[in-house]
Amino acid sequence: MSRIFSGIKPSGDLTLGNYLGALKNFVALQDEHDCFFCIVDLHAITVAQDRLELRKRTKDIAALYLACGLDPNKATIFIQSEVPGHAQLSWMLECQTYYGELSRMTQFKDKSLKDGTAGLSSGLFTYPVLMASDILLYDTDIVPVGEDQKQHVELTRDIVDRFNNRYGDTFVKPDLFIPKVGARIMDLQDPTKKMSKSEENDKGYILLLDDLNRIKKKIMSAKTDSDNLIKFDKDNKPGISNLLSIYSVITNKSIESLEEFYVGKGYGDFKKDLAEVVVSFIQPIQDRYNEIRNSKELDDILDEGRDLANKLAFKKVKKVEHKIGLGRKR
Ligand code: AQP
């Protein structure tokens, strides 16, 4: 059985993009694989966070993992900062990673072009190594992530080659798994950029915990072009193409069949139907979330996940320390 690791950072409330690009696949993968799903709160502090908000969101996301269908009997669910091995391995791997490699990471480049580098935390620069550590601690075979994370998994693979060549076989080289449709859900107001939980304009994203009427309004006011034709054309019609992707992934209907169904109808009809599709899909998730969010069950699941993850992580950290020559001989 192959091992899967993935995580989501509590830098905002979960969006439909996070669900369709990540969580949906987590749920599908848990039946056939040995899965570790994490709430990566150490990643969230690469930018300033309000301490109470961060704590709250971390648990919100854990509850949403369960509400969306993750099953603690099938997958290990835990909070990253509760397993010290992530930060320990990260330092050891930072020392194996080149400045040039990290400078080429597009997410950092984009951010530094926008804001300059002087005020960015060094954690924001090195976090791809923390991500590599997350993956490598658990001998992960497959990493299911959205397209935007592809470069980081490639860096992880390079780090594995370098480390294994230098110190002997230590890490498993992970493969990337990107879902075909829905891999990149775009912002509803600016469909040329991805839907993100830390986006300022809240009309651009749909949150899994948004009020249902608000979701409908956001979909109805999603930006589309003026020709009123329901056709998938990412380059020339990014708005309607994004909405078609969302519709298709939620309903499992192909984009072609949706295009066919909406021949002769306009954006208004299409958006109304999509609003219903999204709301009927999200409502049961919210119901389950409300049941579990403040339960003892949730804490028990996170404790159990932490304990198991810690066991594996501790072993790996000791192995890496030994290979590098840290500490005393044991
Ligand atoms: N718009 C998206 N479409 C598809 N997948 C997405 N993911 C994020 N946005 C989309 C996937 O969700 C997983 C968790 O991501 P993350 O929270 O660790 O970081 P992120 O990719 O930076 O997510 P956000 O929502 O954009 O957060 P902020 O705004 O804080 O940067 C990943 O698998 C990601 O691909």
mmCIF file of all heavy atoms in Angstrom, residues 243-267:
data_model
loop_
_atom_site.group_PDB
_atom_site.id
_atom_site.type_symbol
_atom_site.label_atom_id
_atom_site.label_comp_id
_atom_site.label_asym_id
_atom_site.label_seq_id
_atom_site.Cartn_x
_atom_site.Cartn_y
_atom_site.Cartn_z
ATOM 1 N N LEU A 243 -16.240 28.447 -14.116
ATOM 2 C CA LEU A 243 -17.530 28.003 -13.561
ATOM 3 C C LEU A 243 -17.894 26.614 -14.095
ATOM 4 O O LEU A 243 -18.434 25.775 -13.372
ATOM 5 C CB LEU A 243 -18.633 29.015 -13.891
ATOM 6 C CG LEU A 243 -18.445 30.433 -13.309
ATOM 7 C CD1 LEU A 243 -19.631 31.330 -13.661
ATOM 8 C CD2 LEU A 243 -18.258 30.402 -11.792
ATOM 9 N N LEU A 244 -17.579 26.381 -15.371
ATOM 10 C CA LEU A 244 -17.840 25.049 -15.938
ATOM 11 C C LEU A 244 -17.010 23.983 -15.211
ATOM 12 O O LEU A 244 -17.497 22.885 -14.920
ATOM 13 C CB LEU A 244 -17.482 25.033 -17.431
ATOM 14 C CG LEU A 244 -18.589 25.461 -18.396
ATOM 15 C CD1 LEU A 244 -18.017 25.745 -19.785
ATOM 16 C CD2 LEU A 244 -19.684 24.384 -18.512
ATOM 17 N N SER A 245 -15.758 24.327 -14.899
ATOM 18 C CA SER A 245 -14.907 23.354 -14.176
ATOM 19 C C SER A 245 -15.515 23.023 -12.827
ATOM 20 O O SER A 245 -15.580 21.853 -12.423
ATOM 21 C CB SER A 245 -13.509 23.919 -13.918
ATOM 22 O OG SER A 245 -12.825 24.097 -15.091
ATOM 23 N N ILE A 246 -15.948 24.070 -12.116
ATOM 24 C CA ILE A 246 -16.521 23.841 -10.782
ATOM 25 C C ILE A 246 -17.739 22.929 -10.897
ATOM 26 O O ILE A 246 -17.893 21.938 -10.174
ATOM 27 C CB ILE A 246 -16.905 25.194 -10.124
ATOM 28 C CG1 ILE A 246 -15.638 26.035 -9.866
ATOM 29 C CG2 ILE A 246 -17.678 24.977 -8.832
ATOM 30 C CD1 ILE A 246 -15.903 27.450 -9.364
ATOM 31 N N TYR A 247 -18.612 23.255 -11.854
ATOM 32 C CA TYR A 247 -19.841 22.485 -12.078
ATOM 33 C C TYR A 247 -19.477 21.024 -12.380
ATOM 34 O O TYR A 247 -20.048 20.070 -11.815
ATOM 35 C CB TYR A 247 -20.587 23.113 -13.268
ATOM 36 C CG TYR A 247 -22.068 22.836 -13.374
ATOM 37 C CD1 TYR A 247 -22.953 23.846 -13.757
ATOM 38 C CD2 TYR A 247 -22.592 21.572 -13.145
ATOM 39 C CE1 TYR A 247 -24.308 23.617 -13.887
ATOM 40 C CE2 TYR A 247 -23.950 21.324 -13.280
ATOM 41 C CZ TYR A 247 -24.798 22.351 -13.649
ATOM 42 O OH TYR A 247 -26.139 22.111 -13.786
ATOM 43 N N SER A 248 -18.500 20.873 -13.266
ATOM 44 C CA SER A 248 -18.132 19.539 -13.713
ATOM 45 C C SER A 248 -17.546 18.700 -12.578
ATOM 46 O O SER A 248 -17.911 17.536 -12.405
ATOM 47 C CB SER A 248 -17.121 19.668 -14.865
ATOM 48 O OG SER A 248 -16.477 18.457 -15.086
ATOM 49 N N VAL A 249 -16.655 19.290 -11.776
ATOM 50 C CA VAL A 249 -16.032 18.468 -10.726
ATOM 51 C C VAL A 249 -17.035 18.106 -9.647
ATOM 52 O O VAL A 249 -17.006 16.994 -9.120
ATOM 53 C CB VAL A 249 -14.832 19.184 -10.041
ATOM 54 C CG1 VAL A 249 -13.953 18.169 -9.329
ATOM 55 C CG2 VAL A 249 -14.004 19.940 -11.019
ATOM 56 N N ILE A 250 -17.939 19.030 -9.331
ATOM 57 C CA ILE A 250 -18.889 18.702 -8.259
ATOM 58 C C ILE A 250 -19.890 17.646 -8.703
ATOM 59 O O ILE A 250 -20.236 16.745 -7.951
ATOM 60 C CB ILE A 250 -19.624 19.974 -7.767
ATOM 61 C CG1 ILE A 250 -18.619 20.908 -7.091
ATOM 62 C CG2 ILE A 250 -20.743 19.618 -6.789
ATOM 63 C CD1 ILE A 250 -19.229 22.161 -6.513
ATOM 64 N N THR A 251 -20.349 17.754 -9.953
ATOM 65 C CA THR A 251 -21.420 16.837 -10.380
ATOM 66 C C THR A 251 -20.887 15.586 -11.083
ATOM 67 O O THR A 251 -21.666 14.679 -11.407
ATOM 68 C CB THR A 251 -22.373 17.540 -11.376
ATOM 69 O OG1 THR A 251 -21.584 17.981 -12.493
ATOM 70 C CG2 THR A 251 -23.089 18.716 -10.746
ATOM 71 N N ASN A 252 -19.575 15.560 -11.362
ATOM 72 C CA ASN A 252 -18.979 14.485 -12.159
ATOM 73 C C ASN A 252 -19.550 14.414 -13.568
ATOM 74 O O ASN A 252 -19.533 13.367 -14.198
ATOM 75 C CB ASN A 252 -19.176 13.106 -11.494
ATOM 76 C CG ASN A 252 -18.224 12.937 -10.341
ATOM 77 O OD1 ASN A 252 -17.087 13.412 -10.407
ATOM 78 N ND2 ASN A 252 -18.688 12.323 -9.273
ATOM 79 N N LYS A 253 -20.092 15.531 -14.059
ATOM 80 C CA LYS A 253 -20.560 15.565 -15.457
ATOM 81 C C LYS A 253 -19.429 16.146 -16.292
ATOM 82 O O LYS A 253 -18.731 17.061 -15.817
ATOM 83 C CB LYS A 253 -21.790 16.464 -15.592
ATOM 84 C CG LYS A 253 -23.021 15.865 -14.940
ATOM 85 C CD LYS A 253 -24.215 16.777 -15.125
ATOM 86 C CE LYS A 253 -25.433 16.160 -14.449
ATOM 87 N NZ LYS A 253 -26.479 17.124 -14.157
ATOM 88 N N SER A 254 -19.277 15.634 -17.524
ATOM 89 C CA SER A 254 -18.169 16.143 -18.324
ATOM 90 C C SER A 254 -18.480 17.567 -18.782
ATOM 91 O O SER A 254 -19.648 17.967 -18.906
ATOM 92 C CB SER A 254 -17.948 15.252 -19.547
ATOM 93 O OG SER A 254 -19.028 15.414 -20.440
ATOM 94 N N ILE A 255 -17.416 18.313 -19.065
ATOM 95 C CA ILE A 255 -17.590 19.689 -19.539
ATOM 96 C C ILE A 255 -18.380 19.681 -20.855
ATOM 97 O O ILE A 255 -19.274 20.499 -21.057
ATOM 98 C CB ILE A 255 -16.195 20.339 -19.735
ATOM 99 C CG1 ILE A 255 -15.463 20.336 -18.400
ATOM 100 C CG2 ILE A 255 -16.304 21.698 -20.426
ATOM 101 C CD1 ILE A 255 -14.983 21.593 -17.832
ATOM 102 N N GLU A 256 -18.078 18.712 -21.740
ATOM 103 C CA GLU A 256 -18.784 18.641 -23.036
ATOM 104 C C GLU A 256 -20.281 18.467 -22.821
ATOM 105 O O GLU A 256 -21.096 19.119 -23.468
ATOM 106 C CB GLU A 256 -18.283 17.468 -23.902
ATOM 107 C CG GLU A 256 -16.825 17.529 -24.312
ATOM 108 C CD GLU A 256 -15.872 17.183 -23.169
ATOM 109 O OE1 GLU A 256 -16.116 16.183 -22.461
ATOM 110 O OE2 GLU A 256 -14.885 17.928 -22.962
ATOM 111 N N SER A 257 -20.650 17.581 -21.880
ATOM 112 C CA SER A 257 -22.086 17.343 -21.688
ATOM 113 C C SER A 257 -22.747 18.598 -21.103
ATOM 114 O O SER A 257 -23.904 18.898 -21.412
ATOM 115 C CB SER A 257 -22.332 16.119 -20.808
ATOM 116 O OG SER A 257 -21.975 16.395 -19.475
ATOM 117 N N LEU A 258 -22.018 19.347 -20.296
ATOM 118 C CA LEU A 258 -22.598 20.586 -19.749
ATOM 119 C C LEU A 258 -22.761 21.625 -20.867
ATOM 120 O O LEU A 258 -23.796 22.292 -20.964
ATOM 121 C CB LEU A 258 -21.707 21.148 -18.636
ATOM 122 C CG LEU A 258 -21.680 20.328 -17.338
ATOM 123 C CD1 LEU A 258 -20.617 20.850 -16.370
ATOM 124 C CD2 LEU A 258 -23.044 20.345 -16.648
ATOM 125 N N GLU A 259 -21.742 21.727 -21.714
ATOM 126 C CA GLU A 259 -21.833 22.680 -22.836
ATOM 127 C C GLU A 259 -23.056 22.355 -23.689
ATOM 128 O O GLU A 259 -23.814 23.239 -24.091
ATOM 129 C CB GLU A 259 -20.580 22.597 -23.711
ATOM 130 C CG GLU A 259 -19.354 23.230 -23.093
ATOM 131 C CD GLU A 259 -18.088 22.986 -23.926
ATOM 132 O OE1 GLU A 259 -18.051 22.009 -24.721
ATOM 133 O OE2 GLU A 259 -17.138 23.751 -23.763
ATOM 134 N N GLU A 260 -23.234 21.068 -23.940
ATOM 135 C CA GLU A 260 -24.357 20.626 -24.774
ATOM 136 C C GLU A 260 -25.696 20.979 -24.119
ATOM 137 O O GLU A 260 -26.600 21.506 -24.745
ATOM 138 C CB GLU A 260 -24.257 19.115 -24.931
ATOM 139 C CG GLU A 260 -24.684 18.603 -26.290
ATOM 140 C CD GLU A 260 -24.279 17.138 -26.397
ATOM 141 O OE1 GLU A 260 -23.085 16.858 -26.640
ATOM 142 O OE2 GLU A 260 -25.161 16.298 -26.200
ATOM 143 N N PHE A 261 -25.770 20.704 -22.810
ATOM 144 C CA PHE A 261 -27.014 20.938 -22.079
ATOM 145 C C PHE A 261 -27.395 22.422 -22.086
ATOM 146 O O PHE A 261 -28.574 22.785 -22.110
ATOM 147 C CB PHE A 261 -26.858 20.455 -20.629
ATOM 148 C CG PHE A 261 -28.104 20.598 -19.812
ATOM 149 C CD1 PHE A 261 -29.140 19.664 -19.932
ATOM 150 C CD2 PHE A 261 -28.282 21.671 -18.934
ATOM 151 C CE1 PHE A 261 -30.308 19.793 -19.186
ATOM 152 C CE2 PHE A 261 -29.442 21.810 -18.193
ATOM 153 C CZ PHE A 261 -30.456 20.868 -18.317
ATOM 154 N N TYR A 262 -26.392 23.284 -22.083
ATOM 155 C CA TYR A 262 -26.683 24.723 -21.986
ATOM 156 C C TYR A 262 -26.687 25.449 -23.341
ATOM 157 O O TYR A 262 -26.723 26.663 -23.377
ATOM 158 C CB TYR A 262 -25.713 25.398 -21.006
ATOM 159 C CG TYR A 262 -26.105 25.082 -19.570
ATOM 160 C CD1 TYR A 262 -25.453 24.085 -18.855
ATOM 161 C CD2 TYR A 262 -27.172 25.744 -18.957
ATOM 162 C CE1 TYR A 262 -25.841 23.763 -17.561
ATOM 163 C CE2 TYR A 262 -27.565 25.432 -17.670
ATOM 164 C CZ TYR A 262 -26.897 24.436 -16.977
ATOM 165 O OH TYR A 262 -27.298 24.127 -15.701
ATOM 166 N N VAL A 263 -26.703 24.686 -24.437
ATOM 167 C CA VAL A 263 -26.823 25.334 -25.748
ATOM 168 C C VAL A 263 -28.151 26.094 -25.774
ATOM 169 O O VAL A 263 -29.188 25.565 -25.356
ATOM 170 C CB VAL A 263 -26.788 24.278 -26.893
ATOM 171 C CG1 VAL A 263 -27.169 24.937 -28.226
ATOM 172 C CG2 VAL A 263 -25.415 23.644 -26.994
ATOM 173 N N GLY A 264 -28.115 27.339 -26.208
ATOM 174 C CA GLY A 264 -29.353 28.129 -26.301
ATOM 175 C C GLY A 264 -29.747 28.789 -24.986
ATOM 176 O O GLY A 264 -30.716 29.546 -24.947
ATOM 177 N N LYS A 265 -29.026 28.475 -23.901
ATOM 178 C CA LYS A 265 -29.337 29.153 -22.632
ATOM 179 C C LYS A 265 -28.219 30.150 -22.323
ATOM 180 O O LYS A 265 -27.129 30.072 -22.898
ATOM 181 C CB LYS A 265 -29.434 28.131 -21.503
ATOM 182 C CG LYS A 265 -30.584 27.162 -21.704
ATOM 183 C CD LYS A 265 -30.675 26.190 -20.549
ATOM 184 C CE LYS A 265 -31.765 25.162 -20.860
ATOM 185 N NZ LYS A 265 -31.601 23.936 -20.135
ATOM 186 N N GLY A 266 -28.483 31.059 -21.409
ATOM 187 C CA GLY A 266 -27.498 32.109 -21.138
ATOM 188 C C GLY A 266 -26.796 31.936 -19.806
ATOM 189 O O GLY A 266 -27.050 30.980 -19.058
ATOM 190 N N TYR A 267 -25.911 32.873 -19.487
ATOM 191 C CA TYR A 267 -25.132 32.815 -18.248
ATOM 192 C C TYR A 267 -26.018 32.836 -17.005
ATOM 193 O O TYR A 267 -25.701 32.198 -16.002
ATOM 194 C CB TYR A 267 -24.141 33.990 -18.164
ATOM 195 C CG TYR A 267 -23.005 33.907 -19.164
ATOM 196 C CD1 TYR A 267 -22.317 35.054 -19.547
ATOM 197 C CD2 TYR A 267 -22.611 32.690 -19.704
ATOM 198 C CE1 TYR A 267 -21.276 34.988 -20.448
ATOM 199 C CE2 TYR A 267 -21.577 32.617 -20.617
ATOM 200 C CZ TYR A 267 -20.903 33.768 -20.984
ATOM 201 O OH TYR A 267 -19.873 33.693 -21.873
#
